Amino acid sequence: MAENRQIRIALAGNPNCGKTTMFNNITGAKQHVGNYAGVTVEKKEGHANFNGRDLLFIDLPGTYSLTARSLDELVARNVIVNDNPDVIVNVLDASNLERNLYLAAQLLELEKPMVIALNMSDVAEEMGIKYDFKKMAELTGATIVSTVGRTNIGTKELLEATISVAASQKAPGVTVNYGDLLEGKIAELVAALEEAGTVTYPLRWIAIKLLENDPDVVEKVKGFANTEAVLQKAAAIREEIKDQVDLDIVFQEYRHRYAVEVYNQSLTQAPKEIETRSDRYDKILTHRIWGGLPIFMIVMYLLFAFVNIVGGIPQGWIEDGFAALQAYAVQNIPEGQLQSLVSDGIIAGVGAVLSFLPLILLLFLGISFLEDTGYMARAAFVIDRVMRACGLHGKSFIPLLLGFGCSVPSVMGARILDNYKDRMVTILITPFMSCSARLPVYILFANAFFPNGWDSTLVVFSVYFLGIIFGVIFAKIFRKFIFSGEAEPFVMELPPYHLPTLKATWLHMYERAKLYIIKAGTFIMAASILIWVITAYPMDVEYSKDYDAMKEQVAQEYEVKDTATLAQFGITTDDQKDAVDKIVEDMKATVQDATDAAKNAGEDEPEVAVEADSAAPELFNDIKDKNKDLFPAAWAMYKNSANLDAENDKLGKEQAAEKIEQSYAASFGKAINPVLEPLGFDWKMGLSLVAGLAAKEVVISTLGTVYAVGGDDQNPAPLTDYLQNDPHFTPLIGLTMMLFILIYPPCLATLAVIKRETGSWKWVAFMFFYENTFAWIACFIFYNVGLALGF
């Protein structure tokens, strides 16, 4: 291998062996996530430079086997045999080595240079396990390196060994002995393959797979010339020995025997019969009664409370920042269409979405923590009973759990299920698991109508829990009427508990933040501009009233009223008028300061009554004490000013409402309104729901843009304030909107992935129809029952 050539390294291992942690440690932020060619299985590639060498790590899907029963296994195998990496790094869990060596046995058959990273050696040491590395290297033909991926111990030695093995290009040279009968038949097939002279894959591996009747390998061999005789010979051999050995399991038995042999001969100190820390935790977390749903529900509730209450603090800062940015744009861009586009379209729409970035990051921090500690594997185990009741099993919980982050990998994650029926049912109920894009929408409505932090947390948690219930119900329906049959047994490894690494958690959050910001800065910005266009146009609107003349008339009336008020209190000189004006300005500033302080403290904002007979509030006592002679006149002038602002504000809102009611957006919303009106929705909600089919965050950006266009340009406010002040919006309608968003179809990206995973538009159309129908029926019942109960 050339000294300066890039070294391609395939990173293979069982799930929960620490492979991803090691990958993150080595490659850091130099990672690229995509799909393997021709399939929707996600792959990660990462770069690293070590001792002057460029290393490309390919993180293969975590798998227990390479028998190609699932897409994960097929992809992992094909990357090795087709992409021809320079070296395989097989990560093994040192605390569970016997089971991990089964995969190593299959990797040896691929005849590639191999390094074994004996990971989690600290856990093995805690259990009292010790190995003879020299003996293990002799039995596997691989270079052995002890590592602790979580704390980055042994990483340097692993990279040095990997570069050395890649340079030598020496294959292990160790084979699994399959017994005299099978070894003889393997040799016959290898000879036939050599005679054909066209197959470029490892011939012994091909011979074994042909005897196993592996359909993928059979297709591979058919693609080479002169292989008809080889395939015929393989079929003849299988027929000849089928009564002597069980070809369905015999190869697995020999591989397992090899794994046990390597384990036993390498083991120098057996594990102690002690109760580990994980065992103690599992007595509680996997307890038959309280270890199932009760603890899981408590954990999820605390997660949402953490996200909502803690995330609400920086969210408020971001909202204030975008409000200030809007005000800056209004002040510095000349009044007109450009000002409205920047302020009401881009800043209001994108800002409304970006304000939820802290909540998204905290959600993924929580999920990442629960996954990396090992708790989520326990959650899948304890929820197996619930899943089995609806015809699935705990393994389906894993892709469904991914749905709380994003529906796209959740749908793709269903490929880990070997059974087609389990896979299809899991895909069809995945959208009921509320993705991270739905979370900001839920929190928006919850905070608007249930402003107490714990109340809004309970509302959001209830919506998530309701989604799980709907998923269980529909899984039962689909399993009974569409995909009937027995669910497969559930077997799952429970990894030991451990604290996540700070680096892995940071990388997880960094990736989510980057994707969220890119989405907000591209797709959602484009959507916000489109919504602004259809909301702001047509510009020339025929109003039912002459609002400019009405505002002028109001101004003249209050000018006369101010003159009469000053005369009533004997204010005649310019100096006296200026002094009164100064006191009025001080009163306005005092109210503004008190309002800001109340917002920061999460308290109710002060209200100053300005009716004709209203007395000055205690808020103005200091000003009153300093200006005893002029204060009565100033208080009367303050009320005049406040009433003038209120009347102008009322006229401005009437004008803005009349303009937006004649917009293209309103026309579209009203066209679909007959369908949504029975649910209590108006045209603004209908427009946001339609836009939300593209991406759920667009529901927020649409409402943000619509309310900004129809709102007060001079005093922009957070979207929650607009919702609270909309007379049509009520807590009941807010809850109904949340319910509809929970149920109706996922984003277009998810629908596209469903088509790719199922291979048919039929299932996409089915999902679109049944979720929209169920959303309408459920919301109709919920809204009308709520009305009947007086809400």
Side-chain angles (χ1 to χ4, degrees), residues 234-248:
I237 291 174
R238 288 199 307 272
E239 182 66 24
E240 176 190 342
I241 64 175
K242 68 178 183 180
D243 294 329
Q244 301 176 60
V245 292
D246 186 346
L247 289 170
D248 290 333

Side-chain angles (χ1 to χ4, degrees), residues 324-345:
L325 187 60
Q326 266 188 284
Y328 179 83
V330 169
Q331 292 170 4
N332 291 274
I333 300 175
E335 187 174 350
Q337 296 181 40
L338 178 61
Q339 182 199 87
S340 179
L341 170 62
V342 174
S343 173
D344 303 331

Side-chain angles (χ1 to χ4, degrees), residues 606-620:
E607 294 185 8
V608 180
V610 291
E611 286 79 14
D613 58 348
S614 297
E618 294 181 359
L619 185 66
F620 296 150

Side-chain angles (χ1 to χ4, degrees), residues 350-366:
V350 175
V353 172
L354 281 180
S355 68
F356 288 94
L357 178 60
L359 284 79
I360 298 298
L361 293 182
L362 290 177
L363 175 68
F364 278 95
L365 170 65

